[in-house]
Amino acid sequence: MFDPFAEDFAEDPYPGYAKLRETEPACEHPLGFWLLSRYDDVSKLQRSAHSVDERNLTTLPSWKSDSAELGKENRMLRGLSLVDQDPPDHTRLRRLVGKAFTRRAVAELEPRVTGLVDAALDRIAEAGRADLVTELAFPLPFSVISQLLGLPEVEHRRLRELTGTLARGLEPLAAPGVQAEIRAASAELTAMIGDLVAWKRGHPGNDVFTALIAAEDDGDVLSEAELVAQIGFLYVAGHETTANLIAGGILALLRNPDQLQALRTRPELSTNAVEELVRYDTPVHLMRRITTEPLAAQGKVIPPGTWVVACLGAANRDPRYWGEDADQLRLDRPDAHRNVSFGAGAHHCVGAPLARLEARIAFGRFAQRFRAPVLDDVRWNGRINVRGVETLSVTVR
């Protein structure tokens, strides 16, 4: 049986995914949920109209016992962000939030992102040895999303601590003590953002926060609670996952020096390199849906009202779809953009264009700047779902 809590899983989950794909590609776990791990099933589920709202569960999995008593109070940001909403509420929220992440809006950020990356690489070059997570992978998306939202500088430190706790809520089977910590962090973050809403009304700017407040004020488009939830969600999603993408991508390049050299000599590969690197080691490994009608997969039928977990990391390396070299990194892979890492359908990642921009610039500038980087040490954050590199020590010349 699939065991994400095995000692070596956090460091390398892919052998476990391979075994799951081959032996139980659609299975019911003893803990009360179903697992899908092959590309076709995962891709189909992403594009389906099945629910993300836990109220559609017929039977609550055992690890969600607190939800039976607390309901939405046991969910990140009280389940009000767009990632936890079904249409029509999801459609309305996404239309408002998505305005900040259009191709044009993201393209305007390129000079800012390039400047931040170059400044980080300057610091790394001067030091000669550095932790790329501390110097580049985390501060880059953190700074960009903070600017995009228009958050005042003074709030960043505590917000960062709280969002780190909330990210643990995306892990499967969180222990009761951890769930209590997440609820406390969610309540504190909600209160802080509520105060920021009041501050922002008197200090409007050309940012997402101001735009969402204006949408609310224009007439019952966003309630106060919904406004707070969207800002909180964008803040969490806007830097945690992108930091994992950048750090994991650079690690993959360091471990595959032929591909790092290919990116250095063929900079036109940079766009496709992002797609291949996010396929090779996705920043988010699991996705959930609640079935609203019977779901057929691998000759089995999953009943309505069931919690289904799709293993994105397993699907991204399914040899049935990607070929026999699915476990290899190939920056020129022609169909790399078909990875499932950013989702699909109604719940396709709203911030994907920004994540792609940040990663493309970070990977390309790193490859060009350092000719012979040496990987000294890597440590993982120990998470199962929002899995990423915690420390990435590199020596550069």
PDB file of all heavy atoms in Angstrom, residues 212-237:
ATOM      1  N   LEU A 212      -9.257  44.475  -5.668  1.00  0.00           N
ATOM      2  CA  LEU A 212     -10.266  43.609  -5.061  1.00  0.00           C
ATOM      3  C   LEU A 212     -11.157  44.386  -4.093  1.00  0.00           C
ATOM      4  O   LEU A 212     -12.355  44.115  -3.989  1.00  0.00           O
ATOM      5  CB  LEU A 212      -9.598  42.437  -4.348  1.00  0.00           C
ATOM      6  CG  LEU A 212      -8.927  41.406  -5.257  1.00  0.00           C
ATOM      7  CD1 LEU A 212      -8.282  40.305  -4.432  1.00  0.00           C
ATOM      8  CD2 LEU A 212      -9.934  40.805  -6.236  1.00  0.00           C
ATOM      9  N   ILE A 213     -10.586  45.354  -3.371  1.00  0.00           N
ATOM     10  CA  ILE A 213     -11.403  46.209  -2.508  1.00  0.00           C
ATOM     11  C   ILE A 213     -12.384  47.009  -3.352  1.00  0.00           C
ATOM     12  O   ILE A 213     -13.564  47.135  -3.011  1.00  0.00           O
ATOM     13  CB  ILE A 213     -10.505  47.146  -1.683  1.00  0.00           C
ATOM     14  CG1 ILE A 213      -9.741  46.349  -0.624  1.00  0.00           C
ATOM     15  CG2 ILE A 213     -11.343  48.245  -1.024  1.00  0.00           C
ATOM     16  CD1 ILE A 213      -8.728  47.178   0.144  1.00  0.00           C
ATOM     17  N   ALA A 214     -11.909  47.539  -4.470  1.00  0.00           N
ATOM     18  CA  ALA A 214     -12.792  48.306  -5.355  1.00  0.00           C
ATOM     19  C   ALA A 214     -13.911  47.423  -5.886  1.00  0.00           C
ATOM     20  O   ALA A 214     -15.064  47.856  -5.990  1.00  0.00           O
ATOM     21  CB  ALA A 214     -11.986  48.896  -6.504  1.00  0.00           C
ATOM     22  N   ALA A 215     -13.591  46.177  -6.205  1.00  0.00           N
ATOM     23  CA  ALA A 215     -14.627  45.268  -6.705  1.00  0.00           C
ATOM     24  C   ALA A 215     -15.680  45.035  -5.644  1.00  0.00           C
ATOM     25  O   ALA A 215     -16.875  45.000  -5.916  1.00  0.00           O
ATOM     26  CB  ALA A 215     -13.984  43.942  -7.120  1.00  0.00           C
ATOM     27  N   GLU A 216     -15.238  44.904  -4.390  1.00  0.00           N
ATOM     28  CA  GLU A 216     -16.190  44.708  -3.306  1.00  0.00           C
ATOM     29  C   GLU A 216     -17.070  45.940  -3.143  1.00  0.00           C
ATOM     30  O   GLU A 216     -18.288  45.840  -3.003  1.00  0.00           O
ATOM     31  CB  GLU A 216     -15.428  44.439  -2.006  1.00  0.00           C
ATOM     32  CG  GLU A 216     -16.352  44.271  -0.808  1.00  0.00           C
ATOM     33  CD  GLU A 216     -15.625  44.524   0.510  1.00  0.00           C
ATOM     34  OE1 GLU A 216     -14.468  44.968   0.484  1.00  0.00           O
ATOM     35  OE2 GLU A 216     -16.250  44.306   1.547  1.00  0.00           O
ATOM     36  N   ASP A 217     -16.443  47.122  -3.179  1.00  0.00           N
ATOM     37  CA  ASP A 217     -17.188  48.351  -2.944  1.00  0.00           C
ATOM     38  C   ASP A 217     -18.152  48.681  -4.077  1.00  0.00           C
ATOM     39  O   ASP A 217     -19.112  49.413  -3.888  1.00  0.00           O
ATOM     40  CB  ASP A 217     -16.211  49.522  -2.756  1.00  0.00           C
ATOM     41  CG  ASP A 217     -15.475  49.428  -1.415  1.00  0.00           C
ATOM     42  OD1 ASP A 217     -15.955  48.669  -0.552  1.00  0.00           O
ATOM     43  OD2 ASP A 217     -14.443  50.102  -1.261  1.00  0.00           O
ATOM     44  N   ASP A 218     -17.920  48.133  -5.261  1.00  0.00           N
ATOM     45  CA  ASP A 218     -18.776  48.422  -6.399  1.00  0.00           C
ATOM     46  C   ASP A 218     -20.138  47.761  -6.285  1.00  0.00           C
ATOM     47  O   ASP A 218     -21.003  47.992  -7.113  1.00  0.00           O
ATOM     48  CB  ASP A 218     -18.103  47.977  -7.698  1.00  0.00           C
ATOM     49  CG  ASP A 218     -17.012  48.960  -8.109  1.00  0.00           C
ATOM     50  OD1 ASP A 218     -17.014  50.090  -7.577  1.00  0.00           O
ATOM     51  OD2 ASP A 218     -16.167  48.598  -8.942  1.00  0.00           O
ATOM     52  N   GLY A 219     -20.304  46.915  -5.269  1.00  0.00           N
ATOM     53  CA  GLY A 219     -21.616  46.339  -5.061  1.00  0.00           C
ATOM     54  C   GLY A 219     -21.613  44.834  -4.901  1.00  0.00           C
ATOM     55  O   GLY A 219     -21.627  44.104  -5.813  1.00  0.00           O
ATOM     56  N   ASP A 220     -21.591  44.338  -3.737  1.00  0.00           N
ATOM     57  CA  ASP A 220     -21.720  42.943  -3.343  1.00  0.00           C
ATOM     58  C   ASP A 220     -21.094  41.949  -4.310  1.00  0.00           C
ATOM     59  O   ASP A 220     -21.678  40.925  -4.635  1.00  0.00           O
ATOM     60  CB  ASP A 220     -23.189  42.577  -3.128  1.00  0.00           C
ATOM     61  CG  ASP A 220     -23.292  41.347  -2.227  1.00  0.00           C
ATOM     62  OD1 ASP A 220     -22.325  41.096  -1.473  1.00  0.00           O
ATOM     63  OD2 ASP A 220     -24.293  40.652  -2.286  1.00  0.00           O
ATOM     64  N   VAL A 221     -19.913  42.238  -4.814  1.00  0.00           N
ATOM     65  CA  VAL A 221     -19.184  41.288  -5.646  1.00  0.00           C
ATOM     66  C   VAL A 221     -18.334  40.382  -4.763  1.00  0.00           C
ATOM     67  O   VAL A 221     -18.304  39.176  -4.924  1.00  0.00           O
ATOM     68  CB  VAL A 221     -18.308  42.024  -6.683  1.00  0.00           C
ATOM     69  CG1 VAL A 221     -17.513  41.037  -7.512  1.00  0.00           C
ATOM     70  CG2 VAL A 221     -19.191  42.874  -7.590  1.00  0.00           C
ATOM     71  N   LEU A 222     -17.660  40.995  -3.815  1.00  0.00           N
ATOM     72  CA  LEU A 222     -16.894  40.249  -2.820  1.00  0.00           C
ATOM     73  C   LEU A 222     -17.364  40.654  -1.431  1.00  0.00           C
ATOM     74  O   LEU A 222     -17.411  41.841  -1.114  1.00  0.00           O
ATOM     75  CB  LEU A 222     -15.404  40.577  -2.929  1.00  0.00           C
ATOM     76  CG  LEU A 222     -14.542  39.822  -3.942  1.00  0.00           C
ATOM     77  CD1 LEU A 222     -13.128  40.360  -3.888  1.00  0.00           C
ATOM     78  CD2 LEU A 222     -14.559  38.342  -3.665  1.00  0.00           C
ATOM     79  N   SER A 223     -17.692  39.680  -0.600  1.00  0.00           N
ATOM     80  CA  SER A 223     -17.967  40.000   0.792  1.00  0.00           C
ATOM     81  C   SER A 223     -16.636  40.277   1.488  1.00  0.00           C
ATOM     82  O   SER A 223     -15.565  39.966   0.968  1.00  0.00           O
ATOM     83  CB  SER A 223     -18.675  38.836   1.482  1.00  0.00           C
ATOM     84  OG  SER A 223     -17.794  37.729   1.611  1.00  0.00           O
ATOM     85  N   GLU A 224     -16.705  40.863   2.677  1.00  0.00           N
ATOM     86  CA  GLU A 224     -15.474  41.143   3.421  1.00  0.00           C
ATOM     87  C   GLU A 224     -14.694  39.853   3.690  1.00  0.00           C
ATOM     88  O   GLU A 224     -13.472  39.801   3.537  1.00  0.00           O
ATOM     89  CB  GLU A 224     -15.806  41.837   4.746  1.00  0.00           C
ATOM     90  CG  GLU A 224     -14.600  42.295   5.548  1.00  0.00           C
ATOM     91  CD  GLU A 224     -14.066  43.643   5.083  1.00  0.00           C
ATOM     92  OE1 GLU A 224     -14.646  44.241   4.164  1.00  0.00           O
ATOM     93  OE2 GLU A 224     -13.059  44.096   5.647  1.00  0.00           O
ATOM     94  N   ALA A 225     -15.404  38.786   4.078  1.00  0.00           N
ATOM     95  CA  ALA A 225     -14.747  37.511   4.374  1.00  0.00           C
ATOM     96  C   ALA A 225     -14.120  36.913   3.122  1.00  0.00           C
ATOM     97  O   ALA A 225     -13.022  36.349   3.168  1.00  0.00           O
ATOM     98  CB  ALA A 225     -15.755  36.527   4.976  1.00  0.00           C
ATOM     99  N   GLU A 226     -14.785  37.042   1.979  1.00  0.00           N
ATOM    100  CA  GLU A 226     -14.228  36.533   0.727  1.00  0.00           C
ATOM    101  C   GLU A 226     -12.991  37.320   0.317  1.00  0.00           C
ATOM    102  O   GLU A 226     -12.008  36.754  -0.166  1.00  0.00           O
ATOM    103  CB  GLU A 226     -15.283  36.611  -0.384  1.00  0.00           C
ATOM    104  CG  GLU A 226     -16.383  35.564  -0.278  1.00  0.00           C
ATOM    105  CD  GLU A 226     -17.430  35.753  -1.358  1.00  0.00           C
ATOM    106  OE1 GLU A 226     -17.648  36.904  -1.780  1.00  0.00           O
ATOM    107  OE2 GLU A 226     -18.035  34.750  -1.779  1.00  0.00           O
ATOM    108  N   LEU A 227     -13.042  38.629   0.498  1.00  0.00           N
ATOM    109  CA  LEU A 227     -11.903  39.474   0.162  1.00  0.00           C
ATOM    110  C   LEU A 227     -10.672  39.063   0.959  1.00  0.00           C
ATOM    111  O   LEU A 227      -9.579  38.875   0.416  1.00  0.00           O
ATOM    112  CB  LEU A 227     -12.249  40.944   0.448  1.00  0.00           C
ATOM    113  CG  LEU A 227     -11.102  41.955   0.364  1.00  0.00           C
ATOM    114  CD1 LEU A 227     -10.548  42.013  -1.045  1.00  0.00           C
ATOM    115  CD2 LEU A 227     -11.588  43.328   0.823  1.00  0.00           C
ATOM    116  N   VAL A 228     -10.850  38.886   2.265  1.00  0.00           N
ATOM    117  CA  VAL A 228      -9.750  38.479   3.129  1.00  0.00           C
ATOM    118  C   VAL A 228      -9.203  37.121   2.696  1.00  0.00           C
ATOM    119  O   VAL A 228      -7.988  36.903   2.636  1.00  0.00           O
ATOM    120  CB  VAL A 228     -10.213  38.440   4.598  1.00  0.00           C
ATOM    121  CG1 VAL A 228      -9.172  37.765   5.482  1.00  0.00           C
ATOM    122  CG2 VAL A 228     -10.490  39.860   5.098  1.00  0.00           C
ATOM    123  N   ALA A 229     -10.090  36.186   2.368  1.00  0.00           N
ATOM    124  CA  ALA A 229      -9.665  34.834   1.982  1.00  0.00           C
ATOM    125  C   ALA A 229      -8.871  34.844   0.679  1.00  0.00           C
ATOM    126  O   ALA A 229      -7.879  34.108   0.546  1.00  0.00           O
ATOM    127  CB  ALA A 229     -10.877  33.918   1.857  1.00  0.00           C
ATOM    128  N   GLN A 230      -9.276  35.657  -0.286  1.00  0.00           N
ATOM    129  CA  GLN A 230      -8.547  35.679  -1.575  1.00  0.00           C
ATOM    130  C   GLN A 230      -7.149  36.250  -1.395  1.00  0.00           C
ATOM    131  O   GLN A 230      -6.175  35.733  -1.964  1.00  0.00           O
ATOM    132  CB  GLN A 230      -9.304  36.499  -2.622  1.00  0.00           C
ATOM    133  CG  GLN A 230     -10.737  36.085  -2.897  1.00  0.00           C
ATOM    134  CD  GLN A 230     -11.027  34.618  -2.725  1.00  0.00           C
ATOM    135  OE1 GLN A 230     -10.404  33.754  -3.340  1.00  0.00           O
ATOM    136  NE2 GLN A 230     -11.995  34.316  -1.881  1.00  0.00           N
ATOM    137  N   ILE A 231      -7.013  37.303  -0.589  1.00  0.00           N
ATOM    138  CA  ILE A 231      -5.696  37.885  -0.351  1.00  0.00           C
ATOM    139  C   ILE A 231      -4.802  36.873   0.363  1.00  0.00           C
ATOM    140  O   ILE A 231      -3.634  36.673   0.001  1.00  0.00           O
ATOM    141  CB  ILE A 231      -5.809  39.182   0.476  1.00  0.00           C
ATOM    142  CG1 ILE A 231      -6.568  40.258  -0.325  1.00  0.00           C
ATOM    143  CG2 ILE A 231      -4.426  39.687   0.876  1.00  0.00           C
ATOM    144  CD1 ILE A 231      -5.871  40.694  -1.589  1.00  0.00           C
ATOM    145  N   GLY A 232      -5.357  36.203   1.368  1.00  0.00           N
ATOM    146  CA  GLY A 232      -4.579  35.195   2.088  1.00  0.00           C
ATOM    147  C   GLY A 232      -4.149  34.061   1.200  1.00  0.00           C
ATOM    148  O   GLY A 232      -2.989  33.613   1.244  1.00  0.00           O
ATOM    149  N   PHE A 233      -5.062  33.584   0.365  1.00  0.00           N
ATOM    150  CA  PHE A 233      -4.737  32.479  -0.546  1.00  0.00           C
ATOM    151  C   PHE A 233      -3.664  32.877  -1.548  1.00  0.00           C
ATOM    152  O   PHE A 233      -2.705  32.137  -1.784  1.00  0.00           O
ATOM    153  CB  PHE A 233      -5.995  32.026  -1.281  1.00  0.00           C
ATOM    154  CG  PHE A 233      -5.707  31.207  -2.514  1.00  0.00           C
ATOM    155  CD1 PHE A 233      -5.191  29.926  -2.411  1.00  0.00           C
ATOM    156  CD2 PHE A 233      -5.933  31.720  -3.776  1.00  0.00           C
ATOM    157  CE1 PHE A 233      -4.900  29.182  -3.540  1.00  0.00           C
ATOM    158  CE2 PHE A 233      -5.654  30.986  -4.910  1.00  0.00           C
ATOM    159  CZ  PHE A 233      -5.133  29.701  -4.786  1.00  0.00           C
ATOM    160  N   LEU A 234      -3.798  34.060  -2.149  1.00  0.00           N
ATOM    161  CA  LEU A 234      -2.809  34.508  -3.130  1.00  0.00           C
ATOM    162  C   LEU A 234      -1.435  34.657  -2.490  1.00  0.00           C
ATOM    163  O   LEU A 234      -0.410  34.364  -3.118  1.00  0.00           O
ATOM    164  CB  LEU A 234      -3.251  35.831  -3.754  1.00  0.00           C
ATOM    165  CG  LEU A 234      -4.451  35.770  -4.688  1.00  0.00           C
ATOM    166  CD1 LEU A 234      -4.861  37.179  -5.117  1.00  0.00           C
ATOM    167  CD2 LEU A 234      -4.147  34.920  -5.907  1.00  0.00           C
ATOM    168  N   TYR A 235      -1.416  35.089  -1.254  1.00  0.00           N
ATOM    169  CA  TYR A 235      -0.146  35.265  -0.571  1.00  0.00           C
ATOM    170  C   TYR A 235       0.529  33.916  -0.329  1.00  0.00           C
ATOM    171  O   TYR A 235       1.731  33.753  -0.563  1.00  0.00           O
ATOM    172  CB  TYR A 235      -0.376  36.004   0.742  1.00  0.00           C
ATOM    173  CG  TYR A 235       0.888  36.550   1.349  1.00  0.00           C
ATOM    174  CD1 TYR A 235       1.493  37.674   0.806  1.00  0.00           C
ATOM    175  CD2 TYR A 235       1.472  35.943   2.447  1.00  0.00           C
ATOM    176  CE1 TYR A 235       2.659  38.194   1.351  1.00  0.00           C
ATOM    177  CE2 TYR A 235       2.634  36.455   2.996  1.00  0.00           C
ATOM    178  CZ  TYR A 235       3.221  37.573   2.445  1.00  0.00           C
ATOM    179  OH  TYR A 235       4.375  38.072   2.986  1.00  0.00           O
ATOM    180  N   VAL A 236      -0.237  32.930   0.149  1.00  0.00           N
ATOM    181  CA  VAL A 236       0.313  31.593   0.394  1.00  0.00           C
ATOM    182  C   VAL A 236       0.769  30.957  -0.914  1.00  0.00           C
ATOM    183  O   VAL A 236       1.914  30.508  -1.056  1.00  0.00           O
ATOM    184  CB  VAL A 236      -0.720  30.691   1.090  1.00  0.00           C
ATOM    185  CG1 VAL A 236      -0.169  29.271   1.230  1.00  0.00           C
ATOM    186  CG2 VAL A 236      -1.079  31.240   2.462  1.00  0.00           C
ATOM    187  N   ALA A 237      -0.147  30.916  -1.888  1.00  0.00           N
ATOM    188  CA  ALA A 237       0.147  30.236  -3.154  1.00  0.00           C
ATOM    189  C   ALA A 237       1.176  30.989  -3.978  1.00  0.00           C
ATOM    190  O   ALA A 237       1.884  30.392  -4.786  1.00  0.00           O
ATOM    191  CB  ALA A 237      -1.145  30.077  -3.963  1.00  0.00           C
TER     192      ALA A 237
END
